[in-house]
Amino acid sequence: MTDGPDMAERPTIVLLHGGPGADHTLFKPELSAAAGFAQVIYLDQRGSGRSVRSGPLQWTWERWADDAIDFCDALEIERPVLVGTSSGGWVALLAAIRHPDRFAGLVLDSVMPGDTYERLEMFERLGGPEAREVALRYWAGDTGDEMTDAWERICLPLYSQQPGGDDVADGNRLRRVRWNDEVLDHFRMVLAREFDPWRGLDQVACRTMILAGEHDPVATASAARRFAHRLSHTDVRLHVLAKAGHGVFREAPKRSMDLLRDFVVSGHVPRLH
């Protein structure tokens, strides 16, 4: 970026979307503001959005994590801040575990899943006994059209705590997303059981910021607090935002952007030329 008559180096942020099976447009317009203090790079993960669809054999946490490294190598991005939201945060975390020397920082938004009883209690608190029952059956593997409809109608709206839901700030957000429902189904039936987000945390070496919504029904605030405690061997910041649900960057854009700016800028060390 410009600095008077000179050009000044600035940090790079690589963004990993959630879904899974969604795409990078979930970050827009909120994360576009980060271009004011960093170079912002979006990645549609393998199988999602505008990237190659491939197939289930390539839809693995390890492949996605290593894809993030290959992506940075291809673009010659050195030590970026890796930002992951929801399932994209699982990918970011695994990338930091498998490649601990590659990142200047790690930002995890709405990432750590709560224990089953915590998630069911939160769904019941937010949506009553019906929401709890639908969530229980959905997570148990009920794949019927009736259950899918009930999940989308009763439980998904509870992810957001904003009036009008996730589309309130930008009514075209969800219509822009190029979904691959097969990836989402693969996550639900296979990948969600395969990934242990608590394993290997001692390998995380970079500065880490954890963002959580106090009313997130899936990545619960209590799980985020346990996560921060487990990362106490490194520089870790935990922020639990009141009145926020799942996806803090969308739920509380101004506050989360302020936190991101402070985290990224305070840790940036310009390269010596």
Side-chain angles (χ1 to χ4, degrees), residues 3-271:
D3 182 12
D6 302 315
M7 295 295 291
E9 181 183 313
R10 59 180 175 176
T12 300
I13 296 173
V14 174
L15 297 166
L16 300 178
H17 62 79
D23 66 17
H24 75 279
T25 61
L26 286 177
F27 284 118
K28 297 181 176 180
E30 291 83 8
L31 267 294
S32 300
F37 56 87
Q39 179 71 34
V40 180
I41 308 293
Y42 300 94
L43 170 62
D44 283 358
Q45 295 163 61
R46 185 186 299 255
S48 299
R50 292 151 183 81
S51 289
V52 63
R53 286 299 175 101
S54 60
L57 292 179
Q58 294 294 313
W59 302 338
T60 69
W61 300 116
E62 292 79 10
R63 179 66 269 165
W64 284 327
D66 291 346
D67 279 346
I69 296 297
D70 293 342
F71 178 73
C72 290
D73 286 344
L75 296 183
E76 299 183 353
I77 301 172
E78 297 182 10
R79 294 184 56 78
V81 174
L82 192 60
V83 178
T85 289
S86 192
S87 64
W90 289 18
V91 177
L93 176 59
L94 188 55
I97 290 172
R98 290 168 68 86
H99 308 276
D101 61 336
R102 293 299 303 269
F103 304 107
L106 185 65
V107 178
L108 303 174
D109 167 22
S110 305
V111 169
M112 300 307 282
D115 293 334
T116 300
Y117 76 90
E118 292 176 341
R119 289 180 279 141
L120 291 176
E121 284 183 356
M122 183 60 74
F123 268 115
E124 184 168 10
R125 188 185 311 168
L126 297 173
E130 182 182 29
R132 180 190 182 104
E133 179 62 23
V134 169
L136 179 62
R137 290 176 56 194
Y138 185 81
W139 291 332
D142 190 331
T143 59
D145 292 341
E146 180 181 351
M147 175 51 54
T148 300
D149 175 73
W151 171 260
E152 293 178 353
R153 177 171 46 85
I154 296 169
C155 290
L156 275 185
L158 301 177
Y159 277 50
S160 175
Q161 291 301 295
Q162 305 309 302
D166 185 51
D167 244 11
V168 63
D170 179 358
N172 293 313
R173 182 203 306 279
L174 296 182
R175 286 188 286 273
R176 281 197 300 266
V177 176
R178 293 189 180 182
W179 287 94
N180 185 350
D181 291 331
E182 293 181 5
V183 173
L184 184 59
D185 290 341
H186 186 60
F187 167 77
R188 178 185 168 197
M189 303 306 298
V190 178
L191 296 181
R193 296 192 302 270
E194 287 186 348
F195 185 57
D196 178 4
W198 301 97
R199 187 178 58 214
L201 294 185
D202 59 334
Q203 298 300 310
V204 176
C206 60
R207 304 165 59 246
T208 302
M209 182 168 71
I210 302 167
L211 301 175
E214 187 66 58
H215 301 292
D216 190 330
V218 284
T220 60
S222 54
R225 294 184 177 101
R226 291 195 298 272
F227 181 34
H229 180 72
R230 287 281 296 274
L231 285 178
S232 59
H233 64 279
T234 188
D235 178 359
V236 59
R237 305 181 188 185
L238 169 65
H239 302 282
V240 178
L241 279 67
K243 301 180 181 179
H246 190 74
V248 170
F249 285 115
R250 297 191 301 275
E251 291 284 285
K254 185 180 185 306
R255 175 61 175 151
S256 57
M257 184 56 60
D258 289 344
L259 292 170
L260 180 64
R261 179 187 297 105
D262 179 67
F263 180 80
V264 170
V265 173
S266 65
H268 178 56
V269 179
R271 291 176 298 175

